[in-house]
Structures are given as C-alpha cells and as structure tokens.
Amino acid sequence: LRCLRDDGPALALLRALRKLNLSHNQLGADGGGAMLPAGLGELRHLEELDLSFNRLGRLPEQALAGLRQLRTLDVDHNRLPAFPPVLLELAALEELDCSGNRLLRAVPEGIASLQRLKVLWLSGTGLTALPEGLCQLGALENLMVDGNSLPALPAGFGNLQRLKILNLSSNLLADFPAAVLALPGLEELYLSRNQLTLLPKDLCQLGHLRTLWLDNNRIRYLPDSIVQLCHLEELVLQGNQIAILPEGFGQLSRISLWKIKDNPLIQPPYEVCMKGIPYIAAYQQELAHSQPALKPRLKLVLMGLKNAGKTLLRKCLMEEDEEEEELGQRNSSLMAVRKDFGKAQLKGCCMQPLRELSRPRSPKPQPNHLPIVEQPEASSLKCSRLGYSSSEQQGTLLSLSPKMTGQTQLGCSAAGPQDVAPLAPPLKANGEMRLGCYSLPQSAVLPAPGSPCGSRGIEVTDWTADAERSLTFIVYELAGDPSYDVIQPFFLSPGALYVLAVNLSTYVPQCFYPSVGHFLHWLGAKVPHAVVCMVGTHADLCAEREVEEKCLDIHRQIAWQEKRDYEGLQNLAQQVDEALGQDFDLRCSSPHVAFYGVSDKNLRRKKAQFQYLLNHRLQILSPVLPISCWDCCQVRRLREKLLSVAEHRDIFPNLHRVLPRSWQVLEELHFQPQAQQLWLSWWDSARLGLQAGLTEDRLQSALSYLHESGKLLYFEEHLTLREYVFHNLPRLIDILNVFCQRDVTILLQKLLGNGPADELKATQLHHYVEGFLLHGLLPTHVIRLLLRPHVRSREDLQLILELLEKMGLCYCVNKPKSKPLNGATAWYKFPCYVKNEMPHAEAWINGTNLGGQSFVAEQLQIEYSFPFIFPPGLFARYSVQINSHVVQRSDGKYQIYAYRGKVPVVISHRPAKGAQQPDTLSIASHASLPNIWTAWQAITPLVEELNVLLQEWPGLYYTVHVLCSKCLKRGSPHPHTFPGELLSQPRPEGVTEIMCPKNGNERVNVALVYPPTPTVISPCSK
C-alpha cells in the first residue's frame, strides 16, 4: 500500500472507528504528495493509530489535529526529519512511539503539553540531549531512549516520580545519572553498553527495582548496598571489570536472570559465579563457616604439532633444581637423540639440511625484532592485542619480505625456491570480503612414525613451580595428532596459560599455518582472549642466525594473520553498522540488499558478536622464545617467564582466588594417593565431604566448583552420571587416549593382553579392529577388553560408555528407546573413525532419490559456513548429539543420512577447498510444498542442537544461510543464500513470496525461507 485516496464519503462511513493499523506498508514511498488523506481527521472516535514501518517523511497536520480522542500513536521506523509539531496538540495521547526515525535528533520543549503521556519511545532517534520539558510529564511511566548519544540527563529528571521503566542503554553515559536515584518507584533500569565505571553507594534507594542491566560497561566493583535490592529478579553484569562481589551477595535469592561472564572474578571464583546466585550464596556461607584459603594453581597447556618437542620441554621445565652433573649426564643422551631426530624425514613439513654444529650459543636478540606484546619486566608485565601496540610498530611488523607478499594459500611440502607456498588467502574474492579460509594440509600434521620425542596422547601432570609461594601448575600436554581432535577441545579452558611449541629445526615459512596459525585460530575460537607464550624448540639444531630468522618470521606472520583477521572482522562490523543505519523497510525491499529482512534486534546481536570478537583477541606474548632443552640457562629463562606471567594479577586474576578452607580440603581428599579408583559414588564423595567439614547439603556447591574449574567431573544434571564423581582425571584421560588410537598393532596388543591367544581369537579381534578403524564400530565386550585394567566390572563399563556419550565421542547403535536389550550385544559407533563415503546421500542432496530418479519435492537446506576455522572434531561430536533425534541413520565420513519420523534428513560437512570455499556444514530435508512444514519440523531440532553445540566456541566466527530452494532444484552450483537470522524471526505478515535475484528474479514461497515457528536461538548469536 503506497497511498490512501482522499475519499471523504468513504471515510465518513468509518466515523465510529476506534483502531486503525496501517503498519508495514509503503506509505510515503512515492514522495511529494500527502500519503494520508486529510479526511482522516473525520474519524473523531479514533483511539489507536499505527503508522509504523512505512516511509512517511511528514504527517498530515490538519488530519491529525482533529483526532482529539487519540490515545496511542505509533510512527516508529519512518523517515520523519524532525519531531512533528502537530503531535504536541494531541492532549489525550497516552502512548507515543517515534523510535527508528534516525533524523529526528531533538525533542521540542513543548512536549510538556502531553500531560497524559504514560509511554514514550524515542529509541534510535539520534538524540544528543533531552529537553527539560520532558521532565514535566508527570504521568510518564515508561521511557525508552536507548540507542542514542546522550551524555547525561536533564537536571529535572527526578521529577518523573511515576516512572517505572527507564531504558538508557547504548548511549554515552560516563557517570551513573544521579537523578535516577530520585525515582523510588523505578522497577526496570537498563544501562547496558555505556561507559560507566562506578555505581553510586546509595543504589539501594531504588528499593522497588526488579530489573537492572549494566552489561558492557567498565564497572570495577559493585557497591555493598546492592545486596539490599531485595526485589531484584534480573541482574546482568557481563562484560565489565568486576573482581569481587560484595559480602552477602548471595541473599539476592529472587534473581532468575543472571549474567556475569567476561569479568575477572576472583571472589567468588568465576566458576562459582557462573553457576548462579544459589552457588554464590553457598560459597559465601561456606567462607563464613571456615577459614579462607589461597592456593595458587594454574593450568598450563602445551600445544603444537607432533615432534614439536612438547614432551621434552615439559620434562625439562619440571626438573627444577637439578645439579649440574645430572644435567651434564643428560646432555650426551639428549644430543644423541637429537642427531637421530635430525636425520628423520618428517611428513608434511620438509626439513632443511641440518648443519654439523658445535655447542651453539644462545641467540642474541635481533635489534629489529619488535615485540607483539612487550616482554615482562620484574615489576610489570604488559599484555595487549597482538600487533597493535602502536602504528609505528604496526608498519614494521607487517613489512613482510617480497617472497611472502601476494600469497594466497599455505602449503607445507618439500619445495624448492621456485615454488614458495603462499601465506594466506586474500581478503577479497569476486569483489567480496573474504575471511580466513585457511586450509590445513593433512600431510602437514602427520609426522613420521616412531619419532623419539612423541607423546602418548594427552598427558596431565602436577608441577610445583615455586615451592616457597606454593605456586602449582597443572600441566596438560596435548597431542599433535589429528586423531585426538574430538577430545582435545575439552582441555582448552579460560584462565589457563598456553605454550605453543614450534620445532625450529624443521620450520620453514611455508609451514607457518599448520605449525602456528592453525593453533592460534583453534585456540582463539575456543578460548578468546587466552594468553599464549610462543616457544621455539630444538634451537640447538640451528645456527644462531637461522634461529633469529625463523623466530622473526614466526613473529611477522603471526602479526600479519592477526592484522588480516582483525581488519576482516572490522569490515564485517562496519557492514552491520551500515545496515542498522538503513530503514527496516529498505532492508526488506530487495534480496540484493545486505542482511535482507534481518530485524534490528538480530543486527544488534550480530554487532555485539563482532564487538566481542574484536575485543577478545588472543594475548600473544613476545618475542618467540628459542630454547634448547640441554641449555639450563634457557630452560630457567623460560621457567621464569612462565612464573612472571602467571603471577601477574591483571592477566591471571583467578590465580589469586579465595576458596573456603573446607573446599580446598575436599579437593585434597579426592586426590589423595589411596583414592586410585576410577570414580567415587556420590556417597563416597559425601563421606570425604564430612571429613572436610562439609555437610551433604553444602557438598553440592563444592563439587560443582571443582567440576567447573576442571579438577574433576561431576554432571549434576545427568540422570545417571550425577550419582558419581569422576575424580581421577589422569586415568580418565588414559581411557580417552585409547579411543584416539589408530595403530592396529597397539590396539591388538591391548585386546590380546600379555597372555597367549589362540589363532581364532586373534583373527576375530583383528576383524573387530579393522571394523573399528574403518567404520567406527565396536561391541561392548571388545570395548571392555580395550579398557583393561581401567574397567573391572560391567558397572564400570556401562558408566564409562555413558560418560563417552555425554562427551560426544560415541553413541549406541542398537539402544532401544524404552526396554533393555535382553542380553543382545550392544554396539557403539565412534563417528571420528568413520572412513566410508555416502554416495546415495550425496545423490539425494543433488536432487535425486536413492534409485537415481529426480524428485519434484521442495528442498530445505540450512548451511553453516566457517571462514576462519572449522572446529576440530565438531562434525563427529554433532553426529553423536543428534542421535536421539533421528532413526535409521547411516553415517559416512562427511555425511549422515537419516530420518526424523518418516522425513529424510541429510547432514553434510564439506571441507574447505582453498581460499574461495570455506568449510561448510549443512542440514537438509525435503517435502512437497503443502507439506513443507514436515521438513521444517525435521530439521529445526537439528539446527537448534548445532546452535547449542557452537556455544562452546565463543570466539568462533561463522555465518548461517538458508539456501534458495529454487536454485537447489535447478542444481545451481552456487545457490542464492538468505540470511540465517531469518530462522529466528516470524514470517512477515502479508508476504507470500520472496524474490530470488538469480535466474531472472524468480520468486520463492515464503514457507521455504521462514520456519513455521522461529528457532529458540538465533543461529548467529553468541
């Protein structure tokens, strides 16, 4: 609807009309003439008029002036250039919405004439100040002025004594508005995304407050009086700088919505605060019952490719006060090992010929080797975003050599000087911004078998790094083998110090991404803002100049990768800002427009996500520290650096967290030497709790803290596992390592044991191992053999299998839905081992059925795209997570073909193919158009399951799209994509078809783009 005719007789017939809704049309699109008839003023009894989401540049003054009984007027999201003076004449007005008119910029003082006004919306109208006249609206109850540029409130704001809801989010408030404290009846206060640093001590004056949002400010502490806000039900504090919660905070027991993440919490510890107010109350009560205890423990994670020297590095770091003669005795054996190691041919990363070296000197610092983050001094340590300490440094850091410029994809194979592999993909492809798309060659990750320095999978060790200060590291050494991808993300957690080891003797610039860049992307996606120390190992196998050159190259390429990623995200954030600057109706006008049809709410979510990604870059310490494990001075230097970083309060505030003494004793009792069993029952743990002084009702909070901090596993919400406490993590990791083993010989040795075995049994077990390595299938009795001596009873086995399912490693193929198996052998599938392809599923996706016949049904396909990195092990874990939703499934390496009821679904992972095609994961189904709701019903739970799983990767950037059904039916290799945010939005009213810009602007039924019911979680929100 673009205009209304001025038909006086027709309007005269509607004089009794009380409500008129003309929203979501195109009134005013033609410009020039009046889009609303003057006869509108004849509707003398009209009480509600909705003109929102049109294109009105002006309102008919004469017509509106006649609407003397108008109580509600909605003109939001139009193109009003200023506040219409005619509105000030509507004395009966009780609710006025002018939001989204971005050119409004000011409200006249005359607004004081609207004395009956109760609700006023001025969100996103470009306001820089509020008039004093607004403070005279004595009846005002709700005021929304979010999304503006207000630096302060007018002096008389406290006169609004009836105000109950005030939204001041997304403004420029540097100080808490004192006038707000004069509003005792206030029930909801929103101050998100401002620049607040302090809250007033007398905040308790707002005694009726039920909702308080203070997220994404710069608040360092909360006033003690906040605990007196006894009616508080929603408290949002995430994204601030709060370290300590006030004493008695746990008494805010009415709070149901609680958000506190992204704060450097130490008391209560972050893990306790994330669990909610009841756990905070239990912690504070426990602290009152027992003495506080400060036990510095920090997680230290060693990462890197296989043969990066992680195992040797760990052992050398932990051998603290070795005598010189012991070091000397070790030197000869180490050098012999290294000489053999130097002769080994590594797969993937080519080795340069090693020189015959005499004892090398420690490399001297290079004058132009600028730090990414300044080297920590004794008194202070500076940690900042990589490569952005100053513009002058930026230019130097990024001045790569001619060989490195203009390169587009990493390779890591034996190459001569003429075929130098590219560094990284270009930012632009086909005129569009490109991000990431880094390929990780499998050859680069698979080292030579039989390496002398390889580890046995994931290993965990305690290291008392400083006995005087009782500083202890829990050292996790991660395997460099992709076989462990599915379980290693469980050991990447916030609050840990990460050491990324690079083998300098085999490093070449072409190997940067698989050796360094991939690990930084992986870590940044899982643990944004993590602290990383770069260590170059095997420096004794390189000449001094070679060490300096390689360290400098690593340093430069890290800075280049970080700069490219940062600028790419900035460009995307700018696109979102530009879209927010457009009217919603303009975004809905054409599918050619960026973010077609995406609501302002979803765009603000997307903007917040980009802001989070930009503000939580990895903290990479510099310079790259070269080390030779036989040089005690270099080992000591690395140890001192790790201690210096660990003890810096700004970087690791959690190291100084205060615990109740009883919680610390409980932790020690769980890890005493005699507690060597694989788990404890709840009652066994409760008995240990009594020894620590914890009654049963206080034990739950302590166990929950130990679980969240990674000391043990306790799944309090799982029906079966909540009856057990998995306290022996080293043994549990040994079990996980078994299921990441891909060596036939080792698996057979575990199955056969040390005793003699007859040929028939050995042949049968060999058959099981081959099936396991090819299809990922194992029966329970073979799993029990593999897990000897960890599993000794059927109960042990069943519990371990429940745990493995919970962690997403396997699922039971023939588990009945209700009754037990009645003695039949249960088979388990481990998706990470599946190697076979699924040609019939591939044919289905391309528009044919199993018999090869084309089908006429409409196809739905939701596609997730991962420009930077596809989380290692994600597809395998996802295939386990969806098992409860599907039946008759058939798994391939990259595809799952299954049914939801009688509706077929296909889940496909397409690995990246160079810079132009990132990794994708798609969920598809099909049905006839009248029954398309069944296809939505089939894939929606799978989409929501994936969205939940992706929440575990808070630093991961990905996009979601709905592929055009018409393009898919034509077999288009590049179908048009609609924004995935539409999945969480209701279908637009009155719209039946949406235009696809490909193939002559073909029209697509709206039911093929929007689900019948919006998804619970927006696919692109974090």
Side-chain angles (χ1 to χ4, degrees):
L1 189 65
R2 305 177 76 88
C3 67
L4 287 177
R5 288 192 309 165
D6 192 357
D7 194 334
L11 288 173
L13 298 175
L14 301 174
R15 285 179 179 173
L17 194 67
R18 295 182 181 274
K19 184 176 180 178
L20 177 59
N21 188 342
L22 296 170
S23 65
H24 293 86
N25 281 289
Q26 299 186 40
L27 299 176
D30 294 335
M35 296 300 109
L36 293 173
L40 194 67
E42 298 299 321
L43 305 177
R44 303 293 184 182
H45 298 284
L46 196 65
E47 297 178 359
E48 299 181 26
L49 177 58
D50 190 348
L51 300 172
S52 61
F53 292 95
N54 281 286
R55 302 185 186 183
L56 297 172
R58 60 188 179 90
L59 299 178
E61 297 187 9
Q62 185 178 356
L64 285 180
L67 303 178
R68 296 297 180 181
Q69 296 188 34
L70 196 65
R71 293 186 296 105
T72 300
L73 176 60
D74 193 345
V75 291
D76 70 286
H77 291 87
N78 278 282
R79 299 177 178 177
L80 301 177
F83 193 92
V86 66
L87 301 185
L88 305 179
E89 302 176 21
L90 303 176
L93 211 57
E94 295 179 4
E95 182 173 346
L96 174 61
D97 189 351
C98 295
S99 301
N101 288 282
R102 302 179 185 278
L103 302 177
L104 217 60
R105 296 201 176 103
V107 177
E109 291 286 349
I111 198 171
S113 62
L114 302 178
Q115 284 298 304
R116 294 187 183 181
L117 201 62
K118 295 180 180 179
V119 179
L120 178 58
W121 290 75
L122 294 168
S123 307
T125 51
L127 300 179
T128 56
L130 294 177
E132 283 290 344
L134 185 141
C135 304
Q136 300 175 32
L137 299 176
L140 197 63
E141 296 178 0
N142 298 357
L143 177 60
M144 312 295 173
V145 287
D146 53 300
N148 288 292
S149 302
L150 301 175
L153 296 181
F157 196 82
N159 296 331
L160 301 175
Q161 289 295 296
R162 293 191 182 182
L163 203 61
K164 294 181 179 180
I165 301 176
L166 176 59
N167 191 342
L168 292 165
S169 297
S170 300
N171 277 286
L172 302 176
L173 299 171
D175 299 311
F176 188 94
V180 172
L181 298 176
L183 306 173
L186 201 62
E187 297 178 3
E188 298 181 23
L189 177 59
Y190 301 90
L191 285 162
S192 307
R193 297 177 297 281
N194 278 284
Q195 301 167 17
L196 304 179
T197 56
L198 294 174
L199 297 180
K201 294 180 180 179
D202 44 1
L203 187 65
C204 57
Q205 291 182 21
L206 302 176
H208 290 85
L209 207 60
R210 292 185 293 105
T211 299
L212 179 58
W213 287 51
L214 296 164
D215 57 288
N216 295 290
N217 281 282
R218 303 170 186 172
I219 301 169
R220 299 186 68 87
Y221 65 88
L222 300 175
D224 293 339
S225 64
I226 196 172
V227 303
Q228 299 176 36
L229 299 177
C230 55
H231 297 290
L232 215 53
E233 297 174 2
E234 295 183 13
L235 182 57
V236 178
L237 298 170
Q238 68 186 40
N240 282 287
Q241 300 170 23
I242 301 168
I244 298 175
L245 297 183
E247 189 175 342
F249 194 85
Q251 69 192 43
L252 297 174
S253 56
R254 291 192 179 186
I255 293 179
S256 57
L257 179 62
W258 163 249
K259 296 185 179 182
I260 190 65
K261 69 176 183 177
D262 299 327
N263 281 282
L265 292 156
I266 61 174
Q267 188 176 348
Y270 180 83
E271 296 85 357
V272 174
C273 293
M274 289 298 291
K275 294 293 290 183
I277 301 297
Y279 291 85
I280 294 172
Y283 166 88
Q284 292 185 329
Q285 291 168 11
E286 196 60 43
L287 209 57
H289 277 93
S290 62
Q291 296 178 348
L294 182 62
K295 185 176 181 181
R297 289 169 65 91
L298 188 66
K299 187 174 179 179
L300 179 67
V301 183
L302 301 179
M303 308 171 65
L305 287 176
K306 202 166 185 178
N307 295 325
K310 301 184 296 293
T311 303
L312 193 58
L313 180 64
R314 170 172 58 87
K315 291 178 178 178
C316 290
L317 282 173
M318 294 174 64
E319 293 173 0
E320 283 194 303
D321 298 316
E322 288 270 345
E323 295 183 3
E324 284 297 322
E325 53 196 61
E326 292 176 342
L327 287 173
Q329 291 172 3
R330 201 177 66 213
N331 285 347
S332 57
S333 60
L334 281 177
M335 289 301 293
V337 168
R338 293 188 188 285
K339 285 181 180 178
D340 294 337
F341 177 74
K343 297 174 184 177
Q345 291 297 320
L346 294 181
K347 296 180 182 179
C349 291
C350 63
M351 285 184 58
Q352 294 179 343
L354 300 178
R355 302 171 178 83
E356 290 296 328
L357 301 175
S358 59
R359 176 171 175 151
R361 299 187 300 273
S362 299
K364 298 176 182 178
Q366 189 83 343
N368 62 348
H369 188 156
L370 295 175
I372 299 170
V373 176
E374 295 294 334
Q375 177 71 9
E377 301 293 338
S379 58
S380 66
L381 181 69
K382 179 182 177 185
C383 252
S384 63
R385 186 168 58 246
L386 184 151
Y388 287 86
S389 51
S390 74
S391 57
E392 183 180 350
Q393 285 186 4
Q394 229 176 341
T396 311
L397 282 174
L398 303 173
S399 57
L400 301 182
S401 63
K403 274 188 178 182
M404 298 180 182
T405 56
Q407 299 170 334
T408 56
Q409 185 186 355
L410 278 168
C412 199
S413 56
Q418 70 276 12
D419 40 40
V420 177
L423 273 176
L427 282 179
K428 293 192 176 183
N430 300 327
E432 296 181 358
M433 176 62 61
R434 300 294 301 174
L435 286 179
C437 305
Y438 303 95
S439 59
L440 181 60
Q442 288 300 314
S443 61
V445 207
L446 298 175
S451 165
C453 298
S455 70
R456 301 186 301 265
I458 299 170
E459 298 189 30
V460 58
T461 321
D462 278 347
W463 169 33
T464 304
D466 192 326
E468 292 182 5
R469 290 170 284 185
S470 302
L471 176 56
T472 303
F473 285 105
I474 308 172
V475 184
Y476 285 79
E477 181 191 337
L478 303 187
D481 193 323
S483 303
Y484 294 83
D485 282 351
V486 72
I487 64 172
Q488 292 195 138
F490 289 106
F491 303 100
L492 304 181
S493 57
L497 173 57
Y498 294 86
V499 174
L500 178 51
V502 185
N503 187 342
L504 293 179
S505 68
T506 62
Y507 175 80
V508 290
Q510 295 89 341
C511 285
F512 168 77
Y513 190 71
S515 302
V516 180
H518 167 76
F519 287 97
L520 295 179
H521 275 156
W522 178 38
L523 182 59
K526 182 67 177 176
V527 190
H529 215 50
V531 180
V532 187
C533 179
M534 296 295 307
V535 176
T537 60
H538 303 304
D540 51 303
L541 296 180
C542 305
E544 182 176 351
R545 181 171 180 80
E546 185 182 359
V547 168
E548 293 173 352
E549 289 175 349
K550 289 185 175 183
C551 287
L552 182 58
D553 177 78
I554 293 170
H555 175 87
R556 283 175 169 170
Q557 292 208 52
I558 290 175
W560 178 248
Q561 174 173 298
E562 178 65 12
K563 179 177 184 290
R564 181 178 56 247
D565 294 349
Y566 190 84
E567 289 179 349
L569 289 172
Q570 274 187 322
N571 278 320
L572 290 171
Q574 186 177 353
Q575 291 177 22
V576 174
D577 274 333
E578 291 171 357
L580 277 169
Q582 299 170 342
D583 289 329
F584 177 71
D585 55 352
L586 179 60
R587 290 202 301 276
C588 296
S589 62
S590 168
H592 295 279
V593 179
F595 304 107
Y596 167 72
V598 179
S599 67
D600 284 357
K601 181 180 179 180
N602 269 331
L603 282 178
R604 284 193 291 268
R605 283 179 178 170
K606 201 169 186 68
K607 180 180 177 179
Q609 178 197 357
F610 282 128
Q611 203 58 53
Y612 178 84
L613 295 176
L614 290 168
N615 292 341
H616 291 77
R617 310 303 299 162
L618 290 176
Q619 303 175 83
I620 304 177
L621 305 177
S622 119
V624 180
L625 197 64
I627 186 171
S628 167
C629 285
W630 60 264
D631 188 328
C632 59
C633 294
Q634 292 184 359
V635 174
R636 190 179 303 117
R637 181 178 62 168
L638 176 58
R639 185 184 297 129
E640 289 302 319
K641 178 171 183 176
L642 295 178
L643 288 172
S644 174
V645 173
E647 292 182 327
H648 199 281
R649 284 181 177 267
D650 288 341
I651 301 176
F652 289 109
N654 58 327
L655 184 68
H656 306 277
R657 55 188 159 197
V658 179
L659 293 178
R661 176 69 182 169
S662 55
W663 288 19
Q664 183 180 320
V665 172
L666 179 70
E667 179 185 343
E668 293 170 353
L669 289 173
H670 274 84
F671 304 130
Q672 58 190 355
Q674 60 267 32
Q676 288 304 307
Q677 59 266 49
L678 188 54
W679 67 76
L680 298 175
S681 70
W682 164 261
W683 296 111
D684 291 335
S685 188
R687 279 191 285 272
L688 294 179
L690 289 174
Q691 294 180 42
L694 288 165
T695 55
E696 185 182 333
D697 59 320
R698 290 153 52 204
L699 176 65
Q700 185 94 0
S701 299
L703 287 177
S704 177
Y705 163 73
L706 293 175
H707 170 85
E708 295 295 336
S709 57
K711 309 295 176 51
L712 49 74
L713 295 182
Y714 173 58
F715 302 98
E716 58 183 304
E717 297 177 359
H718 193 278
L719 188 62
T720 305
L721 298 178
R722 68 186 178 191
E723 299 298 327
Y724 301 90
V725 177
F726 297 88
H727 66 296
N728 197 332
L729 288 187
R731 285 190 65 188
L732 183 60
I733 290 173
D734 287 342
I735 289 174
L736 296 178
N737 284 333
V738 169
F739 294 107
C740 295
Q741 181 57 252
R742 295 177 185 266
D743 191 302
V744 176
T745 305
I746 294 176
L747 289 172
L748 279 174
Q749 286 176 351
K750 285 183 174 292
L751 290 173
L752 294 171
N754 297 324
D758 59 83
E759 186 177 345
L760 180 61
K761 181 181 179 182
T763 303
Q764 188 178 24
L765 291 177
H766 192 275
H767 172 74
Y768 282 130
V769 169
E770 285 183 337
F772 178 49
L773 295 178
L774 184 62
H775 305 291
L777 281 170
L778 277 180
T780 50
H781 67 277
V782 176
I783 295 176
R784 185 170 179 176
L785 290 175
L786 277 174
L787 295 181
R788 291 179 302 186
H790 302 294
V791 170
R792 299 175 182 175
S793 67
R794 183 179 294 274
E795 181 192 12
D796 288 0
L797 178 62
Q798 193 56 43
L799 204 55
I800 287 300
L801 290 172
E802 289 267 7
L803 181 61
L804 294 178
E805 278 197 78
K806 171 71 177 175
M807 298 179 73
L809 267 69
C810 65
Y811 64 88
C812 185
V813 174
N814 54 343
K815 180 187 289 185
K817 298 296 181 184
S818 53
K819 49 188 179 182
L821 286 168
N822 297 325
T825 301
W827 284 77
Y828 281 79
K829 193 171 191 76
F830 295 77
C832 58
Y833 279 90
V834 177
K835 291 183 179 178
N836 59 305
E837 302 296 335
M838 295 290 294
H840 58 281
E842 181 65 38
W844 184 93
I845 281 202
N846 289 333
T848 57
N849 60 20
L850 301 185
Q853 301 295 321
S854 297
F855 54 75
V856 185
E858 303 288 351
Q859 184 173 343
L860 292 180
Q861 188 164 334
I862 313 299
E863 184 177 83
Y864 289 68
S865 180
F866 302 85
F868 287 109
I869 185 171
F870 186 80
L874 176 67
F875 185 71
R877 281 195 63 202
Y878 180 55
S879 65
V880 174
Q881 295 292 105
I882 65 171
N883 189 55
S884 61
H885 296 287
V886 299
V887 295
Q888 301 179 44
R889 63 183 290 171
S890 178
D891 289 31
K893 184 176 182 181
Y894 297 123
Q895 290 174 327
I896 302 165
Y897 182 72
Y899 283 85
R900 280 266 302 156
K902 296 182 179 181
V903 182
V905 292
V906 172
I907 295 94
S908 301
H909 170 215
R910 185 183 65 193
K913 296 180 180 178
Q916 307 301 317
Q917 191 180 59
D919 281 89
T920 61
L921 195 157
S922 62
I923 305 165
S925 183
H926 65 77
S928 62
L929 186 57
N931 295 319
I932 200 65
W933 63 271
T934 61
W936 280 115
Q937 200 173 51
I939 68 173
T940 298
L942 307 185
V943 169
E944 293 182 343
E945 199 74 55
L946 181 56
N947 293 341
V948 171
L949 191 57
L950 288 171
Q951 300 296 311
E952 298 179 11
W953 298 81
L956 177 68
Y957 173 68
Y958 60 94
T959 59
V960 186
H961 291 98
V962 182
L963 302 192
C964 173
S965 178
K966 299 289 186 183
C967 294
L968 292 173
K969 186 178 287 188
R970 289 197 309 270
S972 171
H974 303 291
H976 178 67
T977 58
F978 296 99
E981 287 83 2
L982 302 183
L983 295 171
S984 63
Q985 297 179 194
R987 290 179 181 175
E989 295 180 7
V991 177
T992 58
E993 291 182 325
I994 299 175
M995 188 171 62
C996 169
K998 296 194 175 181
N999 196 36
N1001 295 328
E1002 192 170 21
R1003 294 192 171 272
V1004 183
N1005 192 291
V1006 71
L1008 300 172
V1009 179
Y1010 289 84
T1013 304
T1015 56
V1016 178
I1017 301 175
S1018 177
C1020 299
S1021 68
K1022 289 288 182 184

